[in-house]
Amino acid sequence: MKYMKNQVVQVTRGKMLGGTSSINLMAYTRGNCHDCDTWAKIVNDTTWKWENVLPYFIKSERLDESDLNCVDKELHGTEGYLGVSTQHNDVTSEYLKAFSEVGHDIEYGINGDKPVGFSEPLFTIANGTRQSAALAFLSNFQDRTNLHVLKNALVTKILFDDNKCATGVELILNDRLLTIRATKEVIVSAGAINSPQLLMLSGVGPRQHLKHKNIKVISDLPVGQKMQDHIYVLVVHKMGKEILNKKPVDPSKYPLPLIIGYAALNKTQKYPDYEITTAILNDKNDFMPSCVFFLSLKDEICQDYYDHSGNRQLMYTLVSYLYPKFRGQILLNTTNPRDQPLIYPNYLTEEKDIENLEKYVKDYLKVTNSSVFKSVNSELIIPRACNCVPDQSFWKCYVKCLVISGYHFSGTCAMGEVVDSRLRVYGVKKLRVVDASVMLRIPGAHTNAPTIMIGEKAADMIKEDHELLLL
Ligand SMILES: Cc1cc2nc3c(=O)[nH]c(=O)nc-3n(C[C@H](O)[C@H](O)[C@H](O)COP(=O)(O)OP(=O)(O)OC[C@H]3O[C@@H](n4cnc5c(N)ncnc54)[C@H](O)[C@@H]3O)c2cc1C
């Protein structure tokens, strides 16, 4: 990655039932109304407007009753399959005071209706258990006679008849090649990296690329072409004194004490520019697993953090650029479905993105002017391995050194380009894509809840199209 100081970017995904929801950080964030209203406008379909998708967020949610007092009840559901709850922690309350002092609103349960504000987040956790999509949406229906789940199966191809009508899929199970026929339609939900791979392997994709790979073109579409992601910049503060003693968190119930906040540089703007995800850590030993595995930073950078943290309380923040300009690309490497596709995220290829990231990091750092931060002599740790000299180029260098993927891959089978607003693939029949790849503009939030909303909405659209919707 030449624009990112030679960092290797891990394109982490969950290869299991429940997919990436089975390994993610479990933050439950929906994005803001501007996101869906923009989608609706671009695809000219008002059913995607915020007011029309909100019922789908609510439908799937089962917010813990004890958390209802912290949120606007109208916007949350308590009867869905996806358990959601929050963790209250005295130490996060203290840090929230610091953000409030420098002008950020504290808005509990911020989830769509208000564009900006800082809060303890909601998590997809219920009774101490991760609410993966598999646990939430499959485990309750194991006895259904019309539901069959094939574990450890790799779908290798979508099959079409001469009328470009999807008739089923080919898959490998226990080294055997099987064909499954579809009676109504085929729905692809392989995620933003593998859905485009599967479509291209099946002849749906950019003509030139498919021809180059000797794949017969069924529909010439810009599959894989407009990959999006959030990019995070890491900011770590060491506290000279502790801001409250953190009560030990039960890791079997919640991850680290977290704050999630949304901020806009222009206070009248209707959507945020950046998001912060802030974790409060007892000390460096809490930080190392995140640094090495989750953030996937280079060893020498993590070592620097380790060496310079002392035994102090740490606050690590990921400043997330919510609407970056860069667009990446997924291409086939080979025609073997077992091979990974080529992934070009193109982070930081746009000069404007680097400039904006610098601005957002600096805006976030205003929190260090708060009396809370001053009272504990907070200190920004700058890893020496970044080799950033303290001149005018310092923040540019900092951003390039400490930028990572937000793992919010999306947009590779975008609505309006590859699928229509009912998620049907253009140029073929009886084929839909339903996952994060259809997001035509990345939402200003973590992407799990928006993906589940898309799933809920797609379920109704499919039932409507087959006249199965019970009113
Ligand atoms: C480390 C990490 C942390 C994250 N943290 C958060 C968070 O805190 N909050 C949040 O909202 N979002 C988070 N996300 C992002 C979020 O989890 C994803 O955006 C979301 O789960 C994507 O859902 P999806 O259905 O599009 O794809 P996936 O969940 O990736 O599902 C795709 C599924 O298809 C399967 N598959 C792929 N190809 C084939 C094939 N050929 N045959 C058969 N099966 C196939 C995969 O095994 C997988 O089960 C995080 C992501 C990562 C990686």
Side-chain angles (χ1 to χ4, degrees):
M1 273 281 144
K2 67 178 175 172
Y3 298 96
M4 297 172 63
K5 289 203 150 193
N6 302 318
Q7 259 188 61
V8 172
V9 176
Q10 311 260 10
V11 186
T12 310
R13 284 155 283 155
K15 190 178 177 183
M16 58 189 77
L17 271 188
T20 307
S21 71
S22 301
I23 56 143
N24 71 11
L25 203 66
M26 298 179 284
Y28 178 84
T29 62
R30 295 172 174 175
N32 58 81
C33 44
H34 183 74
D35 294 330
C36 292
D37 289 351
T38 307
W39 292 4
K41 203 167 162 192
I42 297 173
V43 295
N44 196 19
D45 181 343
T46 53
T47 68
W48 286 100
K49 277 177 77 98
W50 176 254
E51 70 219 44
N52 295 327
V53 300
L54 182 60
Y56 290 112
F57 281 112
I58 294 175
K59 182 181 179 190
S60 54
E61 184 184 16
R62 192 181 67 256
L63 181 66
D64 195 297
E65 299 275 348
S66 63
D67 294 322
L68 267 178
N69 293 334
C70 308
V71 297
D72 186 343
K73 293 185 182 58
E74 305 282 289
L75 301 174
H76 290 272
T78 52
E79 290 176 5
Y81 294 111
L82 183 72
V84 172
S85 63
T86 190
Q87 167 203 36
H88 301 291
N89 192 296
D90 292 346
V91 76
T92 39
S93 306
E94 287 301 307
Y95 278 89
L96 280 170
K97 281 183 200 160
F99 288 112
S100 164
E101 210 186 311
V102 296
H104 297 292
D105 294 336
I106 308 305
E107 296 283 357
Y108 281 92
I110 177 163
N111 252 318
D113 51 329
K114 300 195 184 71
V116 294
F118 284 51
S119 160
E120 285 179 318
L122 295 170
F123 293 101
T124 42
I125 298 178
N127 302 323
T129 305
R130 170 188 285 274
Q131 301 292 291
S132 72
L135 184 91
F137 298 100
L138 281 181
S139 62
N140 286 301
F141 301 106
Q142 287 183 53
D143 298 333
R144 273 197 182 173
T145 50
N146 62 350
L147 173 70
H148 303 275
V149 177
L150 285 183
K151 290 194 278 187
N152 303 315
L154 180 77
V155 177
T156 53
K157 203 175 184 183
I158 303 155
L159 303 169
F160 294 96
D161 65 16
D162 293 342
N163 297 317
K164 300 189 178 185
C165 183
T167 55
V169 295
E170 211 170 71
L171 60 88
I172 300 173
L173 181 67
N174 299 330
D175 285 330
R176 283 196 310 146
L177 193 63
L178 302 179
T179 297
I180 309 274
R181 294 278 166 209
T183 48
K184 291 197 166 63
E185 57 176 277
V186 173
I187 300 157
V188 174
S189 303
I193 307 297
N194 297 97
S195 284
Q197 181 190 25
L198 182 60
L199 288 185
M200 288 190 278
L201 286 171
S202 314
V204 178
R207 179 181 300 280
Q208 286 305 324
H209 179 55
L210 298 191
K211 276 176 112 177
H212 181 65
K213 294 288 175 195
N214 288 324
I215 296 172
K216 184 181 159 211
V217 181
I218 309 246
S219 184
D220 175 18
L221 292 173
V223 173
Q225 293 301 293
K226 293 211 175 149
M227 179 184 172
Q228 298 186 51
D229 190 8
H230 290 134
I231 35 179
Y232 290 166
V233 175
L234 176 67
V235 181
V236 181
H237 277 95
K238 161 167 89 168
M239 302 301 162
K241 284 187 269 172
E242 288 188 348
I243 297 182
L244 277 193
N245 240 326
K246 177 161 76 73
K247 286 191 201 125
V249 171
D250 180 348
S252 72
K253 291 205 172 120
Y254 284 100
L256 304 161
L258 278 188
I259 292 171
I260 288 190
Y262 296 92
L265 299 189
N266 172 353
K267 300 294 172 213
T268 60
Q269 192 172 281
K270 297 244 177 329
Y271 56 91
D273 291 313
Y274 71 91
E275 178 204 65
I276 63 135
T277 305
T278 291
I280 294 121
L281 310 165
N282 272 339
D283 59 33
K284 59 192 176 190
N285 295 318
D286 282 358
F287 180 48
M288 281 310 112
S290 291
C291 193
V292 175
F293 298 114
F294 173 56
L295 309 176
S296 308
L297 285 166
K298 285 191 281 191
D299 287 353
E300 51 271 43
I301 291 181
C302 294
Q303 187 66 47
D304 274 354
Y305 278 123
Y306 188 84
D307 293 343
H308 293 98
S309 300
N311 285 320
R312 311 311 313 174
Q313 190 171 70
L314 297 177
M315 178 173 121
Y316 97 75
T317 293
L318 298 166
V319 178
S320 169
Y321 187 177
L322 291 178
Y323 302 109
K325 307 209 174 311
F326 71 87
R327 292 289 178 271
Q329 193 182 24
I330 309 278
L331 292 171
L332 292 176
N333 187 8
T334 72
T335 51
N336 182 346
R338 291 184 199 263
D339 287 344
Q340 291 295 328
L342 297 171
I343 304 167
Y344 300 98
N346 291 342
Y347 305 133
L348 302 194
T349 47
E350 299 275 339
E351 197 57 37
K352 190 77 190 156
D353 283 346
I354 304 174
E355 275 171 33
N356 283 341
L357 267 174
E358 278 183 65
K359 283 189 206 157
Y360 303 153
V361 171
K362 285 182 194 164
D363 192 67
Y364 159 73
L365 283 173
K366 287 179 186 161
V367 71
T368 54
N369 296 328
S370 65
S371 57
V372 179
F373 270 63
K374 282 186 179 153
S375 70
V376 293
N377 298 325
S378 74
E379 188 190 319
L380 174 67
I381 305 179
I382 298 158
R384 269 198 214 128
C386 286
N387 290 319
C388 296
V389 286
D391 62 14
Q392 282 203 330
S393 63
F394 175 80
W395 287 109
K396 188 177 209 170
C397 170
Y398 180 95
V399 159
K400 284 183 160 191
C401 179
L402 293 173
V403 73
I404 59 158
S405 163
Y407 305 119
H408 294 160
F409 315 114
S410 46
T412 47
C413 301
M415 258 191 276
E417 309 231 352
V418 173
V419 296
D420 68 10
S421 67
R422 296 185 76 75
L423 311 184
R424 297 169 296 205
V425 177
Y426 288 125
V428 297
K429 293 178 205 129
K430 298 194 175 178
L431 178 63
R432 257 182 250 248
V433 180
V434 182
D435 57 27
S437 69
V438 304
M439 297 175 181
L440 54 162
R441 180 182 185 261
I442 195 164
H446 303 247
T447 38
N448 188 39
T451 308
I452 289 172
M453 175 277 285
I454 289 170
E456 290 280 14
K457 186 171 185 326
D460 269 3
M461 293 192 295
I462 292 162
K463 284 187 273 182
E464 273 163 23
D465 290 353
H466 294 284
E467 296 176 357
L468 297 169
L469 195 62
L470 301 175
L471 296 172

